[in-house]
Amino acid sequence: MSGSALTLAGLLHQYDGGGGFTLRCPEFSVAAGESVLLLGESGSGKSTLLSLICGILAPKEGRIDIAATELSKLRPAARDAFRAEHIGVIFQQFNLLPYASAQDNVLLPLHFSSARRARVTDPPARARALLAALGLPEGTAAVAARHLSVGQQQRVAVARALIGAPELIVADEPTSALDATTQGTFLDLLFDQCRAAGSALLMVSHDPRIGSRFDRVVELADIVTTERAAAA
Ligand SMILES: Nc1ncnc2c1ncn2[C@@H]1O[C@H](COP(=O)(O)OP(=O)(O)OP(=O)(O)O)[C@@H](O)[C@H]1O
């Protein structure tokens, strides 16, 4: 499994509440260091699939392998620890700690994973270097996340995902709040950093225009089938 950052097989997920949304993914994989854009309409199940891949949701059936570990076999606490160590997640809403500085937000994953921490020689210096490489103005590292612009918060979220070079970066529409020019610059920086860290990148979006930057573009509908329970 050394050539694969992520492998899904026979996956089945069903939400207990809500509209009875069911998602099946027979097979899908991302190679080590590969960048893949997953395209799908709103409501098609992109975030659900990413939550399964990150171990935030557990599948009813099937298996998820990341970095040669069967994530789907782990209990919730072990899945959280695994995520901290092997996956950098960039959420749609960034999920930054609002009162913590940009630098402290970037350092957060290292508190949850000693292995990831061990891969960074000087964490504060690395956090500042990542923020600078992602285009944060000098001095911004000390500013509380809640005082940063949306674009700056996006960069902090990316630096937090990248620190400690996890095998897989998972990004849920990270450019949705950016204009076209800023989006291009942001993606250049994200790709540079993923390449430097050797991380695979799986990004979901509904915007096909960014596809040319990726090694592979996949339509969600080609890898998953979904069903909704009929309304009562
Ligand atoms: N917590 C939940 N409980 C029950 N059903 C849910 C839950 N979250 C999502 N769903 C259902 O799953 C479907 C897929 O949602 P999901 O967020 O995965 O889609 P998406 O493609 O990421 O959408 P968007 O692009 O708008 O973020 C939704 O239409 C909704 O019906």
Side-chain angles (χ1 to χ4, degrees):
M1 182 89 35
S2 62
S4 174
L6 164 72
T7 307
L8 309 180
L11 216 57
L12 166 64
H13 173 72
Q14 191 162 41
Y15 283 112
D16 292 332
F21 184 80
T22 302
L23 178 147
R24 285 187 175 80
C25 178
E27 57 176 336
F28 176 63
S29 61
V30 176
E34 187 185 24
S35 61
V36 178
L37 178 66
L38 208 49
L39 287 173
E41 298 299 312
S42 178
S44 59
K46 302 183 298 295
S47 299
T48 302
L49 187 65
L50 288 195
S51 295
L52 289 161
I53 290 168
C54 295
I56 294 166
L57 293 173
K60 275 205 159 68
E61 288 174 18
R63 70 182 271 173
I64 300 168
D65 288 88
I66 293 173
T69 297
E70 190 179 347
L71 173 67
S72 42
K73 229 172 43 186
L74 304 179
R75 292 178 181 279
R79 289 205 307 270
D80 290 344
F82 182 88
R83 178 168 58 249
E85 191 164 330
H86 297 282
I87 310 174
V89 189
I90 307 166
F91 294 101
Q92 230 169 1
Q93 308 299 334
F94 320 138
N95 291 9
L96 300 180
L97 298 179
Y99 290 91
S101 69
Q103 178 174 315
D104 285 344
N105 269 284
V106 176
L107 292 172
L108 210 57
L110 306 188
H111 296 299
F112 296 107
S113 165
S114 53
R116 198 157 154 188
R117 162 76 184 79
R119 291 198 288 262
V120 186
T121 312
D122 179 347
R126 179 67 187 140
R128 286 193 297 275
L130 272 171
L131 289 170
L134 287 161
L136 260 272
E138 215 186 317
T140 317
V143 175
R146 68 197 171 109
H147 294 312
L148 298 176
S149 73
V150 171
Q152 290 171 339
Q153 289 184 37
Q154 265 167 329
R155 286 161 166 77
V156 175
V158 171
R160 183 181 58 182
L162 287 164
I163 197 159
E167 287 89 340
L168 179 64
I169 305 289
V170 168
D172 195 351
E173 305 250 16
T175 61
S176 53
L178 302 181
D179 62 61
T181 313
T182 316
Q183 189 183 70
T185 312
F186 172 85
L187 288 172
D188 286 343
L189 294 168
L190 173 63
F191 273 86
D192 284 350
Q193 293 302 317
C194 280
R195 253 178 245 123
S199 306
L201 172 65
L202 177 63
M203 184 186 293
V204 301
S205 178
H206 59 268
D207 182 1
R209 287 171 302 180
I210 59 175
S212 60
R213 293 167 174 274
F214 289 76
D215 294 328
R216 192 154 54 106
V217 178
V218 175
E219 293 285 343
L220 189 77
D222 290 339
I223 62 160
V224 307
T225 56
T226 60
E227 285 162 40
R228 267 166 239 277

